[in-house]
């Protein structure tokens, strides 16, 4: 029988030839690289479209990613942000400054090292721009012992001293309004001060002999420390004065009663930062003198002096005397000589606006004028509105309630001055406060100068002549600081023309022949009172 499956058993010549070549190639690779031949042969035998070779064992899982390294903890700044944390923070050592960097709302707290002893000072320094420090010392319970704002040597820095017995255990350093900032805190040892040789309370002072007139007392006070002294029974013309102040010392004096209530006080009534306080104020019961500092630590001398008596006043010194004397009259001038702490009272005319001013000041006089109602309540007050150290008040702004004027001197000075009263209606000759009043007054006269008094925030209005010719209005003779404005108004008050600074602070305004009626309004800038001269002239041809 003829074989039909010979191709199956033996294969075709082409297939046998392919198998032969593959076998030869595999043998050659095995001979060339016994170690890798099997692998290479396997790779060559891998189907083209196949993926990775199957393995009976699953692949090993990938190792987990390494955790990021934790950053090292920042070093402790050397201060705590609370009093409780301060107990676990290294204490503040003498002469070892600590740099503080506070955010808004933060404060730095320090325990004080035992090495500081019982007498030490804490100071802020090296302040960054706009940093304003405040330092306080606290006791064990967190109570405030003392506090300082600007007692340091640098601008806006702070300094506090602690002495034995103060009970200070913790330092608190912050900034004004907790605004934050950068600065250094340094603690230094200081010498313990001997026990105070003066009384530190009203009760203690009342048990001691009174201070002697003319006997200087040398004092060294710390911030918030007060010294009290009993006074002689005769206090007529007696004043207390601080003098010989150490650099940076700013004193304050007060007259107090036995309970410590202030009757009178003075800060800078003496020379520079020194104080001067009259001690003849009436009081119920015994009075004491209290000396203190405005800020920081300071040294100074305190002395009681009896001055020559001031002339007997020939003016009322109370509302009752002023009522009995009767009112002042417009145009009246009164010479007043005030002793320290003195006051003069004068009744004002009823139903007539007036301006009261001081002038011809002598000695150390720096006047203050106040308008009072019938009960003595202050309605208006002025210090330097009259130019220089003089004063000026007007009843026009105070309404009908102004019944008295009170004159006094600043800084417990003594000196004399003239008190002058002028009619305020219209602000001067020919002037009025408004158009309606100006229309009833005589018009300005060509070539005749008038002196006008203009109150703060008000104006002087003048009627212009009906002569059918143009004119020029000019201000001159301005009081110190006066800056005039001239305005041309029609009958309805509409502004037709205006001039501010024609020459310096004076004004010059051209006035046409029409319209009429027309008015000239004079004002002063910066809402301040003053006197000025005004003249109406013909324009040059």
């Amino acid at each position: 029988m003829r074989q039909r499956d010979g191709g199956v058993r033996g294969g075709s010549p082409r297939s046998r030839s392919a198998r032969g070549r593959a076998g030869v190639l595999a043998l050659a690779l095995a001979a060339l690289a016994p170690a890798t031949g099997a692998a290479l042969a396997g790779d060559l035998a891998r189907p083209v479209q196949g993926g990775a070779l199957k393995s009976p064992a699953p692949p090993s899982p990938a190792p987990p990613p390494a955790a990021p390294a934790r950053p090292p903890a920042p070093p402790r700044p050397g201060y705590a942000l609370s009093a409780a944390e301060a107990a676990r923070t290294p204490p503040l050592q003498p002469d070892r400054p600590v740099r503080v960097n506070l955010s808004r709302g933060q404060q730095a707290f320090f325990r004080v090292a035992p090495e500081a002893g019982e007498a030490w000072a804490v100071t802020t320094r090296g302040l960054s721009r706009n940093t304003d420090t405040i330092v306080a010392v606290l006791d064990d319970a967190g109570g405030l012992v003392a506090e300082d704002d600007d007692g340091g040597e640098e601008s806006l820095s702070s300094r506090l001293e602690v002495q034995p017995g103060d009970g200070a255990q913790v330092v608190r350093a912050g900034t004004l309004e907790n605004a934050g900032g950068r600065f250094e805190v340094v603690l230094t040892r200081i010498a313990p001060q001997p026990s105070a040789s003066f009384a530190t309370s009203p009760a203690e002072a009342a048990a001691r002999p009174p201070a002697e007139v003319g006997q200087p007392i040398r004092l060294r006070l710390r911030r918030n420390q007060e010294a009290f002294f009993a006074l002689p029974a005769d206090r007529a013309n007696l004043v207390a004065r601080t003098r010989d102040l150490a650099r940076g010392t700013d004193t304050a004096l007060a007259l107090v009663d036995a309970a410590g209530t202030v009757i009178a006080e003075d800060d800078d009534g003496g020379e520079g930062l020194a104080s001067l306080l009259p001690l003849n104020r009436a009081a119920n019961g015994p009075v004491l003198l209290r000396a203190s500092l405005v800020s920081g630590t300071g040294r100074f001398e305190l002395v009681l002096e009896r001055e020559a008596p001031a002339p007997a006043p020939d003016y009322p010194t109370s509302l009752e005397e002023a009522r009995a004397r009767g009112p002042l009259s417009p145009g009246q001038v009164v010479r007043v000589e005030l002793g320290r702490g003195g006051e003069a009272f004068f009744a004002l005319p009823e139903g007539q606006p007036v301006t009261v001013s001081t002038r011809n000041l002598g000695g150390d006089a720096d006047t203050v004028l106040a308008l009072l109602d019938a009960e003595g309540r202050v309605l208006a007050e002025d210090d330097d509105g009259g130019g220089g150290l003089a004063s000026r008040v007007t009843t026009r702004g105070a309404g009908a309630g102004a019944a008295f004027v009170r004159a006094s001197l600043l800084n417990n000075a003594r000196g004399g001055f003239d008190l002058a009263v002028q009619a305020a209606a219209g602000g001067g000759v020919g002037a009025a406060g408004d158009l309606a009043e100006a229309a009833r007054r005589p018009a300005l006269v060509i070539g005749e100068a008038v002196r006008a008094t203009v109150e703060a925030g008000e104006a002087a209005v003048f009627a212009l002549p009906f002569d059918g010719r143009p004119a020029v209005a000019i201000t001159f003779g301005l009081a110190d600081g006066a800056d005039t404005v001239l305005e041309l108004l029609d009958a309805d008050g509409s502004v037709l023309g205006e001039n501010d600074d024609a020459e310096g602070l004076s004004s010059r305004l051209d006035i046409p022949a029409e319209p009429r009626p027309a008015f000239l309004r004079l004002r002063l800038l910066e809402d301040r009172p003053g006197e000025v001269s005004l003249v109406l002239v013909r324009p040059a041809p």
Side-chain angles (χ1 to χ4, degrees):
M1 178 184 288
R2 188 178 179 182
Q3 286 184 314
R4 298 179 64 91
D5 56 352
V8 174
R9 291 185 293 180
S12 68
R14 180 177 296 173
S15 63
R16 289 197 302 269
S17 173
R19 287 196 300 271
R21 286 195 298 272
V24 172
L25 179 59
L27 292 173
L29 290 172
L32 289 173
T36 60
L40 290 174
D43 288 342
L44 290 174
R46 183 181 299 164
V48 174
Q49 72 275 16
L53 289 176
K54 293 183 179 180
S55 173
S60 301
R70 180 177 297 178
R76 294 188 67 84
Y79 59 90
L81 297 180
S82 69
E85 186 185 346
R88 304 185 298 272
T89 305
L92 189 61
Q93 298 283 346
D95 303 317
R96 295 185 185 177
V98 175
R99 190 66 181 170
V100 174
N101 187 357
L102 297 179
S103 301
R104 178 174 289 277
Q106 289 183 332
Q107 294 178 313
F109 292 81
F110 307 84
R111 283 187 304 116
V112 177
E115 293 84 351
E118 293 185 301
W120 44 269
V122 60
T123 308
T124 60
R125 67 186 189 187
L127 279 62
S128 63
R129 186 170 178 265
N130 295 330
T131 298
D132 187 352
T133 59
I134 299 177
V135 164
V137 289
L138 315 176
D139 59 21
D140 278 333
L144 181 67
V145 175
E147 189 175 36
D148 180 75
D149 179 4
D150 297 328
E153 293 184 0
E154 298 179 21
S155 176
L156 303 183
S157 66
S158 311
R159 187 176 190 275
L160 265 181
E161 288 189 6
V162 170
Q163 288 291 326
D166 285 352
Q169 300 294 328
V170 175
V171 172
R172 183 183 68 200
T175 54
L176 189 65
E177 298 180 351
N178 287 328
R182 299 186 303 277
F183 54 92
E184 275 188 352
V185 175
V186 61
L187 183 144
T188 55
R189 299 183 185 91
I190 59 176
Q193 296 297 315
S195 299
S197 59
F198 49 83
T200 57
S201 69
E204 186 183 351
R208 294 191 178 199
E212 297 182 17
V213 178
Q215 183 64 43
I217 305 170
R218 193 67 188 171
L219 295 174
R220 183 185 188 277
L221 296 181
R222 292 179 285 125
R223 176 67 181 263
N224 298 324
Q225 191 176 28
E226 297 174 330
F228 292 85
F229 302 89
L231 295 173
D234 180 11
R235 293 184 283 116
N237 303 311
L238 194 65
V239 299
R241 183 193 302 271
T242 61
R243 63 190 188 189
D244 194 18
L245 278 62
R247 181 177 178 270
T249 299
D250 188 355
T251 60
L253 293 175
L255 189 67
V256 301
D257 62 17
T261 304
V262 174
I263 300 170
E265 59 186 335
D266 178 78
D267 176 8
D268 296 329
E271 296 182 3
L273 299 178
S275 309
L276 189 148
L277 180 66
L279 303 177
N280 57 351
R281 290 289 185 93
N284 296 324
V287 293
L288 304 166
L289 176 64
R290 184 186 71 195
S292 60
L293 298 176
V294 175
S295 64
T297 298
R299 298 184 304 275
F300 59 96
E301 222 172 49
L302 172 68
V303 63
L304 303 186
E305 298 176 344
R306 199 174 298 278
E307 296 184 318
D314 56 356
Y315 49 80
T317 58
S318 67
L319 292 182
E320 291 72 20
E321 292 182 18
R323 285 192 183 96
R325 179 76 64 94
L328 296 171
S329 303
Q332 186 175 356
V333 178
V334 179
R335 185 66 184 176
V336 178
E337 294 286 342
L338 288 180
R340 300 193 189 279
E343 294 177 325
F345 295 83
F346 299 92
L348 297 173
E350 295 184 11
Q352 183 176 4
V354 294
T355 296
V356 184
S357 59
T358 60
R359 58 196 188 195
N360 299 327
L361 278 62
D364 298 326
D366 183 354
T367 59
V368 179
L369 291 177
L371 293 176
L372 313 177
D373 66 10
E375 304 301 323
R377 292 183 290 263
V378 176
L379 303 175
E381 193 170 23
D382 179 76
D383 176 7
D384 298 328
L389 300 179
S391 310
R392 182 189 193 89
V393 290
T394 179
T395 63
R396 292 184 65 177
F404 300 93
V405 61
R406 181 187 67 201
S408 58
L409 298 178
L410 284 180
N411 298 326
N412 291 311
R414 59 188 299 176
F417 53 91
D418 288 339
L419 184 80
V421 184
Q422 297 174 312
V429 177
D434 53 40
L435 267 68
E437 186 181 353
R440 297 191 296 268
R441 286 174 168 261
L444 290 173
V445 178
I446 298 294
E448 289 189 10
V450 296
R451 189 68 177 172
T453 299
V454 184
E455 303 300 339
E458 299 183 6
V461 183
F462 303 84
L464 292 172
F466 284 75
D467 57 5
R469 298 175 61 183
V472 178
I474 302 171
T475 61
F476 64 97
L478 279 61
D480 290 343
D483 186 355
T484 60
V485 176
L486 286 176
E487 297 170 312
L488 176 63
L489 311 178
D490 64 14
D492 297 324
S494 299
V495 178
L496 305 178
E498 182 180 24
N499 180 264
D500 177 6
D501 297 328
E503 183 176 349
L505 299 180
S506 62
S507 307
R508 181 188 180 95
L509 182 62
D510 293 330
I511 309 295
E514 298 292 339
R516 293 293 186 274
F519 301 88
L520 192 64
R521 184 165 64 194
L522 170 63
R523 295 188 293 108
L524 295 182
L525 292 180
E526 299 182 359
D527 285 337
R528 60 181 301 168
E531 294 184 357
V532 59
S533 294
L534 171 70
V535 65
L536 202 63
V537 298
R538 296 295 182 199

